[in-house]
Amino acid sequence: MIFVISGIVYFWYTATKLGMSKCEHCIVRQFNSLNTLTREELVRVSACKTGRVVKKGDIIFREGEALNGIYCIREGVCKLTKLSENGKDQVVKLSVKGGMMGQRSLVSNECSNLTAVALNDMQICFIPKQEILDDLQKNVNFSMDLLKRMAQDLRDADDSLVDMAQKTVKQRLAETLLYVKNKFDNDADGYLALTLSRDDYASIVGTATESAIRILSQFKKEGIISTKGKQIKIEDEQALKRVE
Amino acid sequence: MIFVISGIVYFWYTATKLGMSKCEHCIVRQFNSLNTLTREELVRVSACKTGRVVKKGDIIFREGEALNGIYCIREGVCKLTKLSENGKDQVVKLSVKGGMMGQRSLVSNECSNLTAVALNDMQICFIPKQEILDDLQKNVNFSMDLLKRMAQDLRDADDSLVDMAQKTVKQRLAETLLYVKNKFDNDADGYLALTLSRDDYASIVGTATESAIRILSQFKKEGIISTKGKQIKIEDEQALKRVE
DNA sequence: TACCTGATATGACAAATATCATATATTAAT
DNA sequence: ATTAATATATGATATTTGTCATATCAGGTA
């Protein structure tokens, strides 16, 4: 008898982990376009979506792959990268809890131009394209919200481009540290709550791993940051903002 | 009597130049989202739009300025730039005949994040926001088309970012020359049909003017291009593609 | 524990790029 | 046509960044 109960509990636990709980009750949707769906639309979407647990380092989808739907991030963080001709990956964006991925493939019907890799353990939901495309056509709120978010993404992309073109590696790295601080905050010990490898930092900034390490070392010497293994603590935020 | 006719002819000429000819009869709309409007919508839009002649070097709108509508380019080319903190302008995009500007401000209701400067003499039309916003809500084809184009712009932005982060100035300049060749073709003498200043090239590539000039000189020495004043002729396209 | 592997760290050097100075060519204005 | 203003060109040099080599460290595993 005890086993049966255990079995049920385990099933419920797995189901929850796999994102099979209902969209209507999921709080993360308030951060994305799904929030514009009506209750009926949401129930229908919920019925056809699938959940998935992704471990740190796992690839969610690859550049060039056909995405037959969109992903909604329930928990965790991932990086969206693009392979350059020189063989190095460039991080284009970080996607976090509440974020969606694959909207572009949804509207343009093309393969993904980016690869998504989990930076920590994640829970994501997948909504098949045919289910959501219909809503896009019929629910003006939904399409308008998507338009707004894409417009914002384009602004962000412009900003990134200008930074990449006009700022030094040191400035970009300082900005990245501030970005991580603002977006993910500190943990209980004051270290950045999102821990990235030096290699990830280099790939975000668009530089060689050694260069990123060197500059972090310099920041450390100057007392701007301190480190404990991979972890980084910002000691002097103002100094980071002043980096030239 | 002859003067009256002359007056009429002049009026017609001016009206045409100022873009007061009707959208329904304008061929450039087939290159942009306006093509998805119904005949009635188009007639209404046509009635409220205003035309404008812009001279080379003129500013169409500035970063931070409120755009109370969208622009449709009837003729000519302009650059969309963003001012970096270091005081240099970075070209984010070139917009050409048939292109539209200000869609982002349309959907997000924010000020422009870019400045538009004419690279040659232009004719542009301006459609007030309130007129077109309504169509965006009601015509699914229109909003879907806009979504598709924004998705494509985002892809392009990703590509630009990776190039900026991972390629050398020489590679980016070579790519820019190829881009201009493909997008604007050559003139009768074989020179690039779009003539840009060395400063513009530098601002597209994201480098110092001197560096752009130096690399163009090097290309010239190597026989990859030839020049006549500002004008550039690509002599060896394959070599440009091979630049490392 | 000892070992192995991958990440972090640093030095030495080479290559790429920016900056400053100055010269020359081109264009615009008078 | 002459001059002034601007754009193009090039040298000299400093700074930034990448590459390769090597050392050290941390976490996982037998």
Side-chain angles (χ1 to χ4, degrees):
Chain A
M1 190 58 179
I2 191 88
F3 290 104
V4 174
I5 291 175
S6 164
I8 291 170
V9 169
Y10 181 74
F11 169 78
W12 173 84
Y13 175 70
T14 306
T16 304
K17 263 187 74 175
L18 290 178
M20 294 188 195
S21 69
K22 294 170 181 170
C23 292
E24 311 93 273
H25 303 136
C26 180
I27 50 161
V28 312
R29 77 160 198 286
Q30 70 184 287
F31 300 117
N32 62 44
S33 299
L34 296 179
N35 203 30
T36 61
L37 296 187
T38 64
R39 180 148 194 96
E40 298 87 64
E41 286 168 339
L42 212 52
V43 167
R44 183 170 40 74
V45 161
S46 189
C48 71
K49 79 163 201 299
T50 55
R52 180 171 154 199
V53 170
V54 181
K55 282 194 173 171
K56 178 176 178 173
D58 282 356
I59 292 173
I60 300 173
F61 54 81
R62 285 175 197 276
E63 196 177 333
E65 200 175 281
L67 300 186
N68 297 309
I70 55 175
Y71 293 93
C72 178
I73 304 176
R74 211 147 136 55
E75 191 56 65
V77 185
C78 72
K79 60 179 176 182
L80 292 162
T81 68
K82 188 164 161 52
L83 192 60
S84 172
E85 285 169 32
N86 67 8
K88 289 185 186 172
D89 273 320
Q90 175 66 38
V91 173
V92 169
K93 190 181 173 177
L94 297 185
S95 273
V96 307
K97 178 175 178 171
M100 291 181 53
M101 301 187 290
Q103 305 101 304
R104 279 181 270 168
S105 299
L106 184 73
V107 300
S108 75
N109 207 30
E110 287 171 35
C111 293
S112 173
N113 62 328
L114 302 174
T115 296
V117 181
L119 290 173
N120 42 41
D121 292 347
M122 300 179 74
Q123 294 172 38
I124 59 178
C125 289
F126 177 79
I127 304 169
K129 183 184 282 195
Q130 67 272 19
E131 203 63 40
I132 203 85
L133 259 182
D134 202 46
D135 300 317
L136 197 56
Q137 300 271 347
K138 289 177 184 157
N139 184 334
V140 181
N141 292 329
F142 186 43
S143 55
M144 286 301 289
D145 190 84
L146 254 187
L147 271 173
K148 283 202 180 81
R149 287 172 193 276
M150 282 203 185
Q152 186 55 52
D153 282 351
L154 274 170
R155 277 166 197 271
D156 293 345
D158 289 344
D159 290 345
S160 297
L161 185 76
V162 176
D163 281 357
M164 207 58 93
Q166 302 285 350
K167 294 191 174 171
T168 65
V169 173
K170 200 194 286 188
Q171 288 175 311
R172 281 180 271 151
L173 186 47
E175 278 195 359
T176 302
L177 290 172
L178 291 168
Y179 169 83
V180 172
K181 162 75 190 310
N182 289 329
K183 189 140 182 176
F184 301 95
D185 215 334
N186 296 331
D187 63 15
D189 299 324
Y191 290 91
L192 294 175
L194 176 68
T195 300
L196 295 169
S197 70
R198 305 293 192 257
D199 201 55
D200 282 331
Y201 275 109
S203 184
I204 291 170
V205 166
T207 189
T209 308
E210 297 95 322
S211 297
I213 290 174
R214 233 179 277 276
I215 291 168
L216 286 176
S217 296
Q218 193 192 336
F219 284 166
K220 206 158 65 171
K221 264 183 204 137
E222 294 169 354
I224 298 177
I225 64 169
S226 61
T227 64
K228 193 177 77 181
K230 278 175 159 27
Q231 295 181 84
I232 295 174
K233 184 188 291 187
I234 295 179
E235 301 287 353
D236 187 349
E237 195 165 336
Q238 295 311 313
L240 272 184
K241 289 179 185 164
R242 283 194 307 268
V243 164
E244 286 208 349
Chain B
M1 189 59 179
I2 191 89
F3 291 104
V4 175
I5 291 175
S6 164
I8 291 170
V9 167
Y10 181 72
F11 170 78
W12 174 84
Y13 174 71
T14 307
T16 304
K17 261 187 76 175
L18 290 178
M20 295 191 195
S21 69
K22 294 172 181 168
C23 293
E24 312 92 272
H25 303 137
C26 180
I27 49 161
V28 313
R29 76 159 198 287
Q30 72 186 285
F31 300 118
N32 63 43
S33 300
L34 296 178
N35 204 29
T36 60
L37 296 187
T38 64
R39 180 148 193 94
E40 299 87 63
E41 286 167 337
L42 212 51
V43 168
R44 183 169 42 74
V45 161
S46 189
C48 70
K49 79 162 201 299
T50 55
R52 180 171 155 199
V53 170
V54 181
K55 283 195 171 170
K56 179 177 178 174
D58 282 355
I59 292 173
I60 302 173
F61 54 81
R62 286 174 197 275
E63 194 178 336
E65 200 175 282
L67 300 186
N68 297 309
I70 55 174
Y71 293 92
C72 179
I73 303 176
R74 212 145 135 56
E75 192 56 65
V77 185
C78 71
K79 60 179 176 182
L80 293 162
T81 68
K82 189 166 160 51
L83 191 61
S84 173
E85 285 168 33
N86 66 10
K88 289 186 185 169
D89 273 320
Q90 175 66 38
V91 174
V92 169
K93 189 181 175 178
L94 297 184
S95 272
V96 307
K97 179 176 177 170
M100 292 181 53
M101 301 187 290
Q103 306 102 302
R104 277 181 270 168
S105 298
L106 184 73
V107 300
S108 74
N109 207 30
E110 287 171 35
C111 294
S112 173
N113 62 327
L114 303 173
T115 296
V117 181
L119 290 173
N120 42 41
D121 292 346
M122 301 180 73
Q123 293 172 39
I124 58 178
C125 289
F126 177 80
I127 304 170
K129 182 184 283 195
Q130 67 271 19
E131 204 63 40
I132 203 85
L133 259 181
D134 203 45
D135 301 317
L136 196 56
Q137 300 272 346
K138 289 177 184 157
N139 185 333
V140 181
N141 292 329
F142 186 42
S143 55
M144 286 301 290
D145 190 84
L146 217 52
L147 270 174
K148 283 203 180 80
R149 287 172 194 274
M150 282 205 184
Q152 185 56 51
D153 282 351
L154 273 170
R155 277 165 197 273
D156 293 345
D158 288 344
D159 289 345
S160 297
L161 186 76
V162 176
D163 281 358
M164 207 56 92
Q166 302 286 350
K167 293 191 174 171
T168 65
V169 171
K170 199 193 286 187
Q171 287 175 312
R172 280 180 271 153
L173 187 47
E175 278 194 0
T176 303
L177 290 171
L178 291 168
Y179 169 82
V180 172
K181 160 78 191 310
N182 289 329
K183 188 140 183 176
F184 302 94
D185 216 333
N186 296 333
D187 64 15
D189 300 324
Y191 290 91
L192 293 176
L194 176 69
T195 300
L196 295 169
S197 69
R198 304 294 193 256
D199 201 54
D200 282 332
Y201 276 109
S203 183
I204 292 171
V205 165
T207 189
T209 308
E210 296 96 320
S211 296
I213 290 173
R214 233 179 276 276
I215 292 168
L216 287 175
S217 296
Q218 193 193 336
F219 285 166
K220 205 157 67 171
K221 264 184 204 136
E222 294 169 354
I224 298 177
I225 64 170
S226 62
T227 65
K228 193 175 77 180
K230 277 175 157 30
Q231 295 182 85
I232 296 174
K233 185 188 288 189
I234 294 178
E235 301 286 354
D236 187 349
E237 194 165 337
Q238 294 312 310
L240 272 185
K241 289 178 184 164
R242 284 195 307 267
V243 164
E244 286 208 349

